[in-house]
């Protein structure tokens, strides 16, 4: 979660990630982050995070190595991953070279008939349980994994015979 949506100006206030192995969550990392500027009241209201929690949190730099270790060897998955990674990389002063999957783009490809692809709406449209705490880092990260899982399962249902037929055509 961030103080807003401007990458060059806004800051991370809550970080969370899940480690999924063989389709099972095996570990998670989550913490609040003390920003260097006042958080807009609209963001505090949206997330339910209080100023008191953020004042007592550590700055993001203190979590740098913990995050990098957690990401080591992982494929990074997020909904609109370019925003999340750009602000994280900028804040940590790193360039992450991990493989990346964007569940926003993937869901647009796999479920093109859905009218909207906002994370919480996707969860509802896919018939999954919406976590109580929307706009909180840990539940948003978990929802992104659920969307990835649904996309994967949907792809397994596709009839790939079309590609066999195309392969035999000569142009």
């Amino acid at each position: 979660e961030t103080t807003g949506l401007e990458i060059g100006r806004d800051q991370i206030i809550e970080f969370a990630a899940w480690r999924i192995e063989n389709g099972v969550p095996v570990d998670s990392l989550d913490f609040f982050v003390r920003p260097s500027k006042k958080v807009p009241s609209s963001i505090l209201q949206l997330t339910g995070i209080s100023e008191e929690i953020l004042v007592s949190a550590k700055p993001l730099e203190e979590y740098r190595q913990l995050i990098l270790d957690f990401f080591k060897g992982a494929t990074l998955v997020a909904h609109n991953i370019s925003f999340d990674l750009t602000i994280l990389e900028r804040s940590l002063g790193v360039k992450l070279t991990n493989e990346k999957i964007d569940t926003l783009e993937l869901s647009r490809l796999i479920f093109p008939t859905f009218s909207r692809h906002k994370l919480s709406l996707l969860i509802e449209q896919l018939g999954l349980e919406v976590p109580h705490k929307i706009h909180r880092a840990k539940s948003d990260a978990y929802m992104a994994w659920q969307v990835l899982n649904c996309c994967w399962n949907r792809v397994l249902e596709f009839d790939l015979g079309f590609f066999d037929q195309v392969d035999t055509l000569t142009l």
Side-chain angles (χ1 to χ4, degrees):
E1 297 301 322
T2 60
T3 59
L5 299 175
E6 255 185 71
I7 290 173
R9 189 184 68 158
D10 288 309
Q11 300 172 13
I12 296 169
I13 57 171
E14 185 182 23
F15 174 91
W18 288 89
R19 180 166 293 279
I20 311 295
E21 293 179 5
N22 300 314
V24 177
V26 296
D27 198 6
S28 66
L29 178 64
D30 63 288
F31 47 82
F32 293 104
V33 177
R34 183 175 62 227
S36 63
K37 63 178 197 166
K38 186 167 174 55
V39 179
S41 60
S42 59
I43 298 296
L44 295 174
Q45 242 179 351
L46 179 69
T47 61
I49 299 170
S50 70
E51 286 185 28
E52 294 78 27
I53 289 172
L54 297 177
V55 167
S56 64
K58 297 177 187 175
L60 185 65
E61 298 78 35
E62 291 193 31
Y63 295 106
R64 185 180 194 275
Q65 196 56 52
L66 187 62
I67 293 168
L68 295 177
D69 290 345
F70 196 80
F71 283 176
K72 194 171 223 152
T75 298
L76 305 180
V77 177
H79 204 71
N80 192 13
I81 197 166
S82 62
F83 174 79
D84 292 339
L85 284 187
T86 301
I87 200 165
L88 182 64
E89 289 173 336
R90 230 181 148 119
S91 300
L92 295 177
V94 299
K95 179 68 178 157
L96 297 168
T97 58
N98 304 61
E99 289 192 35
K100 300 160 185 73
I101 298 174
D102 186 343
T103 56
L104 174 60
E105 293 301 321
L106 188 60
S107 68
R108 287 176 176 158
L109 290 169
I110 305 300
F111 301 106
T113 59
F114 287 179
S115 59
R116 301 206 35 219
H117 291 83
K118 181 179 172 183
L119 187 56
S120 59
L121 293 176
L122 271 173
I123 291 295
E124 286 180 13
Q125 292 174 99
L126 293 168
L128 302 169
E129 186 177 330
V130 177
H132 175 65
K133 295 180 180 179
I134 294 175
H135 296 296
R136 291 298 299 273
K138 193 169 185 178
S139 58
D140 286 359
Y142 190 80
M143 285 190 299
W145 169 65
Q146 288 183 300
V147 169
L148 176 65
N149 200 33
C150 284
C151 288
W152 175 255
N153 289 331
R154 177 69 180 114
V155 166
L156 292 176
E157 296 172 3
F158 288 169
D159 178 8
L160 301 180
F162 167 78
F163 293 104
D164 292 334
Q165 292 174 10
V166 170
D167 193 36
T168 62
L169 297 176
T170 56
L171 300 174

